[in-house]
Amino acid sequence: MSTTTELLKGAAELFPDEVVTEAHVRHLELPAGAGRFALITLDNGLDHTKPTTFGPQSLANLNSAIDQVEKESAAGEIVGVGITGKPFIFAVGADLKGVEILTRHEDALAIGKGGHDVFKRLHTLAVPTFAYYNGAAMGGGVEVGLHCSYRTVSKALPAFSLPEVFLGLVPGWGGCVLLPNLIGADRAVSVIIENSLNQNRQLKGKQVYELGIADALFDGADFLSQSLVWTASVLNGDITVERPELDRGEPWDAAVARGREIADSKVHGAAPAAYRALDIIAAAKNGDRQQGFDAEDTALADLIMGGELRSGLYAFNLVNKRAKRPAGAPSKDLARPVSKVGVVGAGLMASQLALLFLRRLEVPVVLTDIDQARIDKGVGYVHAEIDKLLAKGRVNQDKANRLKGLVTGVLDKAEGFADADFVIEAVFEEMSVKQQVFAEVEAVAPAHAILATNTSSLSVSEMASKLQHPERVVGFHFFNPVAVLPLLEIVRGEQTDEASLATAFGVAKKLKKTAVLVKDAPAFVVNRILTRFMGEIQNVIDEGTPVPVAEKAVEPLGLPMSPLVLLELVGPAIGLHVSETLNRSFPDRFTVSPNLKAVVEAGKRGFYVYDSGKPELDPEVAALLKQGDSVLTEEQVRDRVLDAVAQEIGLMLDEGVVAEAQDIDLCLITGAGWPFHLGGVTPYLDRAGVSERVNGKPFLAPGVASVPA
């Protein structure tokens, strides 16, 4: 028995529930008399909703297929070998469920070595090898193709990436070594580091070709047949693939340095995966494949046994599994159909909501406001955004015309909402204003219509309390920008009934939002945690800690932006309003910063100016600040902030604001851009010992976002 077979057999025993991918070998005669060809198709026997992955048994199956074609190529029975995938899917990499259950470094090492040992055999066959990227290709799916002599890609390919760094790994089956040696270090850094750390940005087929990863680009409809014609031309010598000469000098080093700058700006040294990948890319310029593969094996094993990957996998499962089955959501059978939507308000937020409902539901949407000019501006915004989609080719002219025809605006709520099934308000964040709006809507909307509020912090129950039918009021809190952030906090008021709640979840699903059920508690989830987080930063500044020290203290969390830059994005006035709301509810924990109040009253949009291109404290803001004489170190600030967040989350879970800590993390990842490598926030607080210190226990059970015991 070979070492590879033993490795894979041992790994397969650890992972009995693997969804196994078969590697089917079939033979065909290439066009133009090029000869007999072996085509390996990767297929797990399921449709495209269950993408093909590589677990130990799947790798063993591919290894057996290579055994067969190796004998055929040595005997001169075939002229080449190709690899492709099932319809719409090439392969999406390692089976992460298997990685999650590993508990020993040597088993993790076997995963890396097993993949390398199988894939690198494609280098040593007596005939050329070809990868045909017919559909989605990620991670190990990309890498198996990199081990081939040539690659083609479909124009219809929707997603291509090496997402490992995003999850807390490195491309460990050849990606860190082969990609820079194929397309150069700079382009490889873009794919492996930059795209991964930009929320796992995906490449389309055309981009894969333009980067030089693929040698030819063909239409999706007849992709395989065109690829085989091209293959015949290559084998017959009619086509010669020219690849650029790589500069292995200073440009290679500069590319790695650029990668380190990107990693520093995104994770601030707090997450190791990007740096381990860059070390391997840096060493790969010597062209020694085996040395590079060995480095990938070691890095992969180290990271699999580390907390970052387990947190990344936990976050991945939250977004891809828990988000699809929201905890506490009623039966979808109770949901009522929505064939017309009303939007109260025509400002920027309301207009964004109108556009989203229009695009996703494709039903009539009507806006109202206090004057015709505002209404016209809101409808005009929606029309302009549809025109942008048309210009980008995202919709055709017919669809653009149809969507524009579906959005209207009227002054009279009775005229606009008499036949609406779902009415959402996005007006000024003031309880009396919202209560008045709902009273007006209730008087004219049908008895079955859902009344939704986009409030960010006010009580949904209080908002509904003066209505005849409070049971149909539900919180529907979006995050700005609406088109970008997936989270939708669905708030159940004290009297919200099951049918209204089910309808809200049904609409959320059609809007393609990540819906989380939230109790009607002040500021719900994201704004409550962020306000406590930001409030503690503001407190230490007010007490005397310099602004740069307070900001730098939380850099190790690798948040997408610093607290005061986030405040600028949210708007100081909104931040102040939410802190005032929470201060009224929880005065012992939420303060109202006099300095923040002064910044708002001065009409400042934030604490910084950007004259040099980088944020610098605005001199006018600096003049407004009144600070005490208590100066903390970065470590003291960080401890204080994290202790406050851990305390608040503990209290929220005790209050039943959400079902579990997992929902807190899902909200922060999808609504506030909290990093995947932290797993949201609770795994980080557990790993750092903060949860135990503050609450006397961790938030998550051992093995949930950590290496199983």
Side-chain angles (χ1 to χ4, degrees), residues 146-220:
L146 294 177
H147 284 268
C148 292
S149 316
Y150 305 96
R151 287 153 295 281
T152 67
V153 66
S154 167
K155 288 180 184 176
L157 182 146
F160 182 104
S161 65
L162 288 170
E164 287 84 354
V165 166
F166 176 66
L167 292 171
L169 281 173
V170 298
W173 286 342
C176 290
V177 178
L178 298 177
L179 190 63
N181 278 292
L182 176 67
I183 62 173
D186 196 63
R187 288 181 168 187
V189 162
S190 295
V191 175
I192 294 170
I193 306 297
E194 189 170 17
N195 288 359
S196 283
L197 293 180
N198 277 298
Q199 295 300 307
N200 193 21
R201 184 189 294 153
Q202 300 293 312
L203 299 170
K204 305 289 188 189
K206 186 182 177 190
Q207 294 169 298
V208 173
Y209 172 67
E210 289 171 345
L211 281 167
I213 299 171
D215 302 306
L217 176 71
F218 298 115
D219 286 331

Side-chain angles (χ1 to χ4, degrees), residues 67-86:
D67 282 342
Q68 178 183 337
V69 298
E70 184 178 57
K71 289 174 186 169
E72 294 171 349
S73 63
E77 296 170 4
I78 55 174
V79 294
V81 175
I83 300 180
T84 193
K86 67 183 184 182

Side-chain angles (χ1 to χ4, degrees), residues 442-477:
E442 186 180 50
V444 299
H448 69 272
I450 303 300
L451 307 185
T453 169
N454 186 46
T455 182
S456 60
S457 60
L458 300 177
S459 169
V460 174
S461 302
E462 186 180 346
M463 213 176 291
S465 62
K466 298 182 180 180
L467 298 178
Q468 291 183 348
H469 295 285
E471 70 276 1
R472 57 176 171 159
V473 176
V474 63
F476 218 60
H477 179 216

Side-chain angles (χ1 to χ4, degrees), residues 351 354-355 358 365 367 375-391 395 400-409:
S351 300
L355 177 67
L358 184 67
V365 176
L367 296 94
I375 292 170
D376 292 344
K377 186 176 179 182
V379 173
Y381 168 88
V382 176
H383 283 192
E385 291 299 309
I386 293 169
D387 285 337
K388 289 179 187 175
L389 294 172
L390 177 64
V395 297
N401 292 341
R402 187 168 77 254
L403 290 175
K404 285 183 181 181
L406 286 171
V407 62
T408 56

